[in-house]
Amino acid sequence: MTHNTPLSPRPLRHLAEVHRRVLTTAQLRSHGVSTAELNDQCRPGGPWQQTLPGVFLLHPGPPTGEELLHAALLYAARESAPGVPAQPTVDDPHRPVYAEAMITGLAALTLHGFSSAPPLLSLERIDVLVPRLRRLRSTGYVHVVRTPSLPAPRPVAGLPVAPVPRALADAVTELTDAGAVRRLLTEAVRGLHCEPAAVVRELTAAKLLSRPHVVDAVDSLLAEGRAIAEDRLYRMVSEYGLPDPVWNVDLRLPGGPQLGGVDAYWPDHAVAVELDTRAPRQDEDAMWSEYARKREHLERLGITVVHITPKKLRESLEQQAAVVRTALMASTDRDPAAYVVVLPR
């Protein structure tokens, strides 16, 4: 049997090209390759090589980044039948290729297009996310990451990849370089990969907010997210013809206490917009309570508070403009609001 000899009479047309180059022991057997033939092909200097336990590369020389990823997933994937990892077929081409396994960590961020993540071939290991109860060990270049609940994977280049927030948390778990952490978190928001709140939720779940360099990076992340949200808010007012508000002001009762700051305020309509760019963190229960108290106080004074999140501004700018316009128009039907002093923030 030579390297160019077909594996067996069973065709491989239903497999993607990379799946013809990276196969498991069970797949090779299903295509008629005996143990003796497999050993012969993988002899020193032979045309095939074993990259991971039970996973083989069907050509000599170093594997490509794509082959490393597929081999890692073949090693980690849940088998759909005894000894046979799930693969697409002619009758069911959309069947998930890899069950209960997905790429995460730095490799996932590279696949998501992060310029601050290293190239695949420079990574010493590839993180693969699997359910907590899977009996699977890290081996070779594959590092097994366990989770009690798998997130829905994002398909990238035909691979199941962890969503950006989860991939960031798994990457940051292993990083001690504060600059690298900051660059990854900043790019996540600046590159519009996800919202800051989603990242902080994952970092909190991973118990990473006790690390000073991660906390510093999160502060930069939230500042970056606020700047982007404020820019979208300015654009919303301009593009959808809303009257100009006063921006970033503090409200105060005459001779009384400060009522709090808002991001935009229309004094003639007693309508305020507040961007919620905070993210859930373990020590912020008091902040959430203070925010709710401020909003309730303003509304008791007759001031309508429109609450907008960065996600809403990103995904439905026109709809948010309509919400604000409705609040402005409805002000003529309300009782006059209490007089408040408006101060620059």
Side-chain angles (χ1 to χ4, degrees), residues 41-63:
Q41 294 292 87
C42 292
R43 68 187 184 279
W48 295 357
Q49 55 187 306
Q50 184 171 0
T51 59
L52 292 165
V55 182
F56 298 86
L57 186 64
L58 273 59
H59 67 75

Side-chain angles (χ1 to χ4, degrees), residues 297-339:
H297 194 177
L298 289 174
E299 291 180 344
R300 283 199 302 271
L301 295 171
I303 297 173
T304 299
V305 181
V306 179
H307 175 261
I308 300 180
T309 65
K311 183 177 182 181
K312 289 178 180 177
L313 285 174
R314 177 167 61 90
E315 297 180 353
S316 57
L317 196 63
E318 183 176 3
Q319 181 181 352
Q320 301 314 304
V323 170
V324 174
R325 182 178 289 109
T326 299
L328 294 172
M329 294 173 62
S331 66
T332 59
D333 299 327
R334 300 195 309 266
D335 293 333
Y339 176 75

Side-chain angles (χ1 to χ4, degrees), residues 201-230:
R201 276 194 295 269
E202 289 291 351
L203 294 176
T204 301
K207 297 180 173 56
L208 294 171
L209 294 184
S210 60
R211 303 180 184 183
H213 70 285
V214 177
V215 173
D216 291 343
V218 166
D219 290 340
S220 297
L221 169 81
L222 296 178
E224 182 78 20
R226 167 160 277 280
I228 292 172
E230 288 178 344

Side-chain angles (χ1 to χ4, degrees), residues 17-330:
E17 176 61 29
V18 69
H19 290 117
R20 301 189 188 112
R21 304 193 304 268
V22 185
L23 293 171
T24 66
T25 303
Q27 289 171 312
L28 289 168
R29 286 174 180 165
S30 71
H31 292 289
V33 178
S34 67
T35 300
E37 290 171 322
L38 179 57
N39 291 337
D40 181 62
Q41 294 292 87
C42 292
R43 68 187 184 279
W48 295 357
Q49 55 187 306
Q50 184 171 0
T51 59
L52 292 165
V55 182
F56 298 86
L57 186 64
L58 273 59
H59 67 75
T64 65
E66 182 186 29
E67 290 167 346
L68 288 172
L69 293 169
H70 281 278
L73 287 167
L74 279 175
Y75 168 74
R78 168 78 70 180
E79 296 178 345
S80 58
V84 183
Q87 293 289 347
T89 65
V90 173
D91 296 330
D92 191 8
H94 302 296
R95 183 180 182 181
V97 177
Y98 302 112
E100 294 190 1
M102 65 187 73
I103 303 297
T104 190
L106 287 173
L109 298 178
T110 300
L111 290 170
H112 281 299
F114 275 62
S115 61
S116 53
L120 289 174
L121 290 178
S122 70
L123 293 173
E124 295 183 358
R125 72 184 202 188
I126 291 175
D127 295 323
V128 181
L129 191 62
V130 302
R132 177 190 293 169
L133 299 181
R134 288 286 308 279
R135 297 180 62 184
L136 191 69
R137 294 182 178 179
S138 299
T139 186
Y141 66 87
V142 175
H143 177 243
V144 174
V145 180
R146 303 182 186 279
T147 180
S149 178
L150 278 179
R154 303 290 188 267
V156 180
L159 294 163
V161 181
V164 168
R166 175 65 205 228
L168 276 170
D170 290 332
V172 169
T173 297
E174 303 300 327
L175 291 175
T176 57
D177 183 337
V181 172
R182 185 186 299 268
R183 286 190 295 272
L184 288 172
L185 297 192
T186 299
E187 184 174 354
V189 176
R190 189 174 295 170
L192 307 182
H193 293 285
C194 60
E195 299 296 336
V199 177
V200 178
R201 276 194 295 269
E202 289 291 351
L203 294 176
T204 301
K207 297 180 173 56
L208 294 171
L209 294 184
S210 60
R211 303 180 184 183
H213 70 285
V214 177
V215 173
D216 291 343
V218 166
D219 290 340
S220 297
L221 169 81
L222 296 178
E224 182 78 20
R226 167 160 277 280
I228 292 172
E230 288 178 344
D231 183 68
R232 289 188 183 130
L233 183 60
Y234 299 149
R235 184 158 56 89
M236 182 191 79
V237 170
S238 174
E239 290 184 4
Y240 292 96
L242 298 174
D244 289 332
V246 288
W247 297 102
N248 296 314
V249 294
D250 282 321
L251 305 180
R252 183 188 299 271
L253 288 172
Q258 182 174 334
L259 301 171
V262 294
D263 295 283
Y265 186 61
W266 287 263
D268 294 340
H269 303 81
V271 172
V273 165
E274 183 158 26
L275 288 173
D276 181 8
T277 56
R278 296 165 298 113
R281 294 166 73 173
Q282 291 172 322
D283 57 351
E284 290 194 347
D285 288 344
M287 184 179 292
W288 281 95
S289 298
E290 180 59 31
Y291 167 79
R293 283 195 297 271
K294 179 182 73 174
R295 183 174 182 178
E296 290 172 2
H297 194 177
L298 289 174
E299 291 180 344
R300 283 199 302 271
L301 295 171
I303 297 173
T304 299
V305 181
V306 179
H307 175 261
I308 300 180
T309 65
K311 183 177 182 181
K312 289 178 180 177
L313 285 174
R314 177 167 61 90
E315 297 180 353
S316 57
L317 196 63
E318 183 176 3
Q319 181 181 352
Q320 301 314 304
V323 170
V324 174
R325 182 178 289 109
T326 299
L328 294 172
M329 294 173 62

